[in-house]
Amino acid sequence: MFPHLFTPLSIRGARIRNRILSTGHDTVLPIDGTVNDALIAYHRARAKGGVGLIVTQVAGVHETARYTSHLLMATEDGCIPGYRALADAVHAEGAVIFSQLFHPGREIMESADGLLAVAYAPSSVPNERFHVMPRALTLPLIAEIVAGYAAAARRMRVAGLDGVEVVASHGYLPAQFLNPRVNLRTDAYGGEGRLRFLREVLLAIRDATDEDFVIGLRISAGEREEDGLTAAEALAASIALESELDYVNVTTGTSATLGGAMHIAPPMAFAPGYVAPDASAFKRALRVPVFVAGRINQPQEAEAILAAGQADMCGMTRALIADPEMPAKTARGAVDDIRACIGCNQACIGHFHKGLPVSCIQHPETGRELTFGHLARAERRKRVMVVGAGPAGMKAAVTAARRGHEVTLWEAAAQPGGQALLAQLLPRRAEFGGLVTNLMREVERAQVRLRRGVRVTEEVLREEAPDAVILATGAVPHVPDLPTDGDMQVVTAWQVLRGEVRVGARVVVADWRCDWIGPGVAEALAKAGSSVVLAVNGLHAGEVLPLYVRDNIAAELHRLRVEVRPYARLYGTAGDTVFLQHTPSGEAMEVAGVDTLVLCLGHRPVDDLAEVAARLGIECHMAGDCLAPRTAEEAVYEGLKAGVAV
Ligand code: SF4
């Protein structure tokens, strides 16, 4: 069924069992610059799940490479034992492992001691996104960094890894050397000598390793910003360097600008496999294998890319974060059982930007393998009643059932899913519904009994008399008692999303939490033709959202001419005027001529059954929005913990 996906690929001494690749991504699991047990457990789970090749996260090759506080470093021999344990764990499960070798150049984000690290780049050209003004590299420092790549590669070889991948993508140091708009040097490393740095690095790595060792290059086929490396320049560099390379791993975008950075982990608004056409240009021009990544979420998409000859391997990193067993499930024909990534970015790259370990909104076990990698059987089989089949309830039910309990999941509505059903109605968020589909499949597989259309009351609880109850009863929109003369149409975001109301031509959306709902409703109404003011009680629309998602939303609101008013707290209406308060100054702001006010002011928990359960002496756990406010990610994680606790 997937003939191309499961054809092995040999590169020098590495025999890769299939064409599924976990690309290098920062997990934030290491805490002191070395490989730790958490990182080993994370990659072991994916290797066990059948991935062909794991490229581990970036390893700094020189002291000037410390771009975040949680970077792995390969500058001392002390890194070798950790990498050896990692390589052994991955090899034991049948996968091949390379390490990315890294220098960020001017792309410095933070430093461990609170002082921004001194950035070095080919020339003193600023990075406007991180507000970094780098120092130009001296010739001795260039020589040190080249030697650093070689020494790091040698350490990887000694540790037993199968290869390394030099990161020349996303505007990092090697890309800065290649880019004539960033590399303004007039010495041997500038002008016609722009390839010299990278060539020296590749040759030094080969000298420091052996003939079996794989040396790859990651490069952006166009950085997608005005001053970025172009696709033609990236291709020309790859062709010129091909004799020193064993493969080229094609991606797109750059860390240097917000627009370019969205491609590092493209959100669900991007089409699946959208980088494959760029990769195919490399494939046509090169003899070495070409890898590609970029929203390849499903094995069917990967198979199509391989079958079309656009690439030789497919990076499916988030697909593996969401479901480490995706390759094994595909191989045995159980594609319906795959927990497909929905491109929400909340817990994978979203965690990276918050400095938290990698996880997945749908699979909170990711990044927590040491704690939740193995579910212990319950000591005593209980009759467990889970009330509420939103994300928290479904995850709790599945977890409890897998531990051996007899579980019934009760849902008052006809359809399970809770607020996730509403989230999928937001513009460009249809894929979010995959969260419900995936969890429902797990509910079925765990043989949880589902009772739909029944509201659990005290009587039901008495009648059922379970050994334990898990409450995941959700929340309802918070509608404050506003000073208003009643003239204006006032509705909730839920009513708008469900199509229960018709809104007017001029709308104010009052957003309290700055998450998905306010910006999403504003976007939907603007697209439907309303003139929209989005009043956010914070600094940005969607400010609590993952970086690239938030930026994508901001770009869309800007295009649609939605007027975003920051620091705006709703405090009433009169006639057709909405009154807002500018929170830092306390001054009043008015929006006149308004037809409809849409409230996105958070949710009130529905938690009455907790008191009932306590009165009846039933063991009770709670999860999700009944402890409101909860994001979907928090709800699913809490569901897991409740399922483990019961
Ligand atoms: Fe995919 Fe969202 Fe999970 Fe990230 S958090 S792996 S984008 S489903």
Side-chain angles (χ1 to χ4, degrees):
M1 197 174 164
F2 294 93
H4 297 87
L5 202 55
F6 290 100
T7 299
L9 176 69
S10 291
I11 310 178
R12 290 196 183 254
R15 188 172 190 279
I16 306 169
R17 61 186 165 187
N18 58 45
R19 306 300 179 100
I20 302 172
L21 158 70
S22 173
T23 58
H25 56 285
D26 200 333
T27 59
V28 196
L29 289 166
I31 47 177
D32 64 357
T34 62
V35 172
N36 59 7
D37 289 347
L39 185 67
I40 294 170
Y42 171 79
H43 284 307
R44 183 191 284 121
R46 273 121 201 111
K48 192 172 179 190
V51 68
L53 168 63
I54 289 173
V55 181
T56 61
Q57 64 196 78
V58 293
V61 298
H62 188 266
E63 271 309 307
T64 54
R66 290 184 186 271
Y67 85 137
T68 67
S69 52
H70 38 76
L71 180 71
L72 280 178
M73 294 298 283
T75 48
E76 305 282 343
D77 282 356
C79 74
I80 293 172
Y83 275 107
R84 183 174 288 131
L86 177 60
D88 287 350
V90 168
H91 286 155
E93 299 294 350
V96 166
I97 180 165
F98 303 162
S99 171
Q100 286 192 325
L101 298 187
F102 180 74
H103 195 297
R106 64 178 183 162
E107 301 298 308
I108 297 285
M109 296 169 70
E110 54 161 311
S111 76
D113 61 4
L115 271 179
L116 192 67
V118 178
Y120 290 92
S123 307
S124 190
V125 176
N127 170 313
E128 293 183 14
R129 181 175 171 215
F130 300 123
H131 315 113
V132 169
M133 183 62 78
R135 299 180 67 195
L137 283 161
T138 61
L139 291 177
L141 200 45
I142 290 177
E144 258 186 44
I145 293 172
V146 171
Y149 275 99
R154 181 189 62 78
R155 292 180 183 114
M156 298 301 168
R157 188 49 167 158
V158 171
L161 277 78
D162 306 286
V164 290
E165 180 178 278
V166 175
V167 180
S169 59
H170 300 119
Y172 297 119
L173 182 64
Q176 291 160 32
F177 270 102
L178 295 177
N179 183 344
R181 289 156 299 282
V182 175
N183 178 353
L184 309 178
R185 298 179 78 95
T186 53
D187 62 9
Y189 291 91
E192 292 303 306
R194 290 196 307 275
L195 260 64
R196 181 178 174 141
F197 173 78
L198 198 44
R199 191 183 301 282
E200 285 183 359
V201 165
L202 297 171
L203 289 171
I205 292 174
R206 179 61 67 207
D207 274 356
T209 55
D210 58 53
E211 284 303 308
D212 270 355
F213 198 63
V214 178
I215 303 173
L217 181 75
R218 191 154 210 225
I219 196 160
S220 293
E223 292 183 355
R224 299 187 188 233
E225 67 112 351
E226 219 167 278
D227 291 331
L229 193 71
T230 66
E233 288 164 345
L235 180 56
S238 303
I239 292 169
L241 295 167
E242 186 177 15
S243 56
E244 328 303 345
L245 291 170
D246 299 318
Y247 72 87
V248 174
N249 187 357
V250 175
T251 177
T252 192
T254 176
S255 156
T257 63
L258 274 180
M262 269 184 230
H263 300 280
I264 292 175
M268 66 176 74
F270 287 80
Y274 75 107
V275 188
D278 296 329
S280 71
F282 283 69
K283 183 87 180 97
R284 284 194 299 275
L286 299 173
R287 288 179 306 278
V288 295
V290 170
F291 302 175
V292 69
R295 282 273 283 149
I296 308 173
N297 287 350
Q298 302 272 17
Q300 296 89 335
E301 291 156 9
E303 178 68 20
I305 288 168
L306 298 168
Q310 292 175 301
D312 299 288
M313 279 202 86
C314 287
M316 304 184 73
T317 309
R318 283 177 291 173
L320 290 157
I321 290 173
D323 192 343
E325 292 174 45
M326 179 272 291
K329 288 176 181 174
T330 306
R332 66 172 186 260
V335 286
D336 288 347
D337 293 346
I338 293 171
R339 187 184 309 107
C341 166
I342 57 173
C344 68
N345 279 359
Q346 272 169 260
C348 44
I349 187 94
H351 275 202
F352 167 76
H353 288 298
K354 289 182 185 163
L356 296 172
V358 66
S359 193
C360 175
I361 179 176
Q362 308 187 76
H363 188 58
E365 292 90 334
T366 287
R368 301 182 176 102
E369 284 80 6
L370 292 174
T371 311
F372 296 108
H374 171 73
L375 281 181
R377 295 289 291 179
E379 280 173 18
R380 179 172 75 84
R381 181 174 162 87
K382 297 178 190 167
R383 286 182 57 244
V384 178
M385 198 171 169
V386 180
V387 187
M394 287 196 273
K395 184 68 182 180
V398 168
T399 309
R402 287 195 181 140
R403 293 187 52 240
H405 294 305
E406 181 192 333
V407 182
T408 309
L409 176 59
W410 298 69
E411 171 55 47
Q415 202 181 350
Q419 286 182 58
L421 296 175
L422 291 175
Q424 68 179 340
L425 300 175
L426 292 166
R428 300 174 297 130
R429 299 278 294 163
E431 220 169 310
F432 203 82
L435 173 64
V436 179
T437 317
N438 290 333
L439 279 167
M440 272 307 291
R441 180 76 186 135
E442 291 187 47
V443 165
E444 280 166 27
R445 289 179 65 211
Q447 297 184 335
V448 170
R449 219 171 118 229
L450 181 60
R451 297 280 311 265
R452 310 167 191 238
V454 187
R455 184 166 298 281
V456 176
T457 58
E458 178 166 350
E459 290 64 46
V460 177
L461 215 48
R462 279 181 187 281
E463 221 169 89
E464 292 293 318
D467 299 316
V469 63
I470 297 175
L471 298 182
T473 35
V476 292
H478 171 52
V479 180
D481 193 12
L482 289 171
T484 172
D485 58 12
D487 280 2
M488 189 177 296
Q489 181 193 25
V490 180
V491 300
T492 66
W494 286 26
Q495 289 174 295
V496 174
L497 289 172
R498 284 178 177 150
E500 293 169 357
V501 290
R502 284 175 66 87
V503 304
R506 183 151 166 82
V507 181
V508 170
V509 177
D511 182 11
W512 173 73
R513 204 177 169 215
C514 297
D515 58 8
W516 304 97
I517 303 177
V521 169
E523 183 182 329
L525 294 179
K527 280 180 172 158
S530 294
S531 153
V532 182
V533 174
L534 174 60
V536 296
N537 195 351
L539 188 51
H540 306 295
E543 91 182 47
V544 303
L545 301 179
L547 212 54
Y548 306 141
V549 177
R550 182 195 74 194
D551 304 332
N552 196 248
I553 288 173
E556 197 61 18
L557 293 178
H558 179 75
R559 268 194 290 274
L560 291 164
R561 305 277 181 269
V562 170
E563 183 193 339
V564 181
R565 294 223 186 162
Y567 296 126
R569 176 179 160 270
L570 175 70
Y571 75 85
T573 73
D576 67 357
T577 301
V578 172
F579 296 102
L580 304 167
Q581 184 187 41
H582 184 251
T583 51
S585 66
E587 287 175 9
M589 299 187 285
E590 293 179 6
V591 187
V594 178
D595 302 301
T596 308
L597 172 63
V598 181
L599 303 178
C600 310
L601 301 178
H603 303 110
R604 266 190 306 105
V606 176
D607 56 3
D608 335 352
L609 286 176
E611 180 272 321
V612 176
R615 206 163 7 92
L616 298 180
I618 300 172
E619 175 188 337
C620 179
H621 305 266
M622 295 174 78
D625 238 6
C626 62
L627 302 166
R630 288 289 185 267
T631 62
E633 179 199 346
E634 290 162 345
V636 176
Y637 181 34
E638 248 167 17
L640 170 66
K641 290 204 282 188
V644 167
V646 71

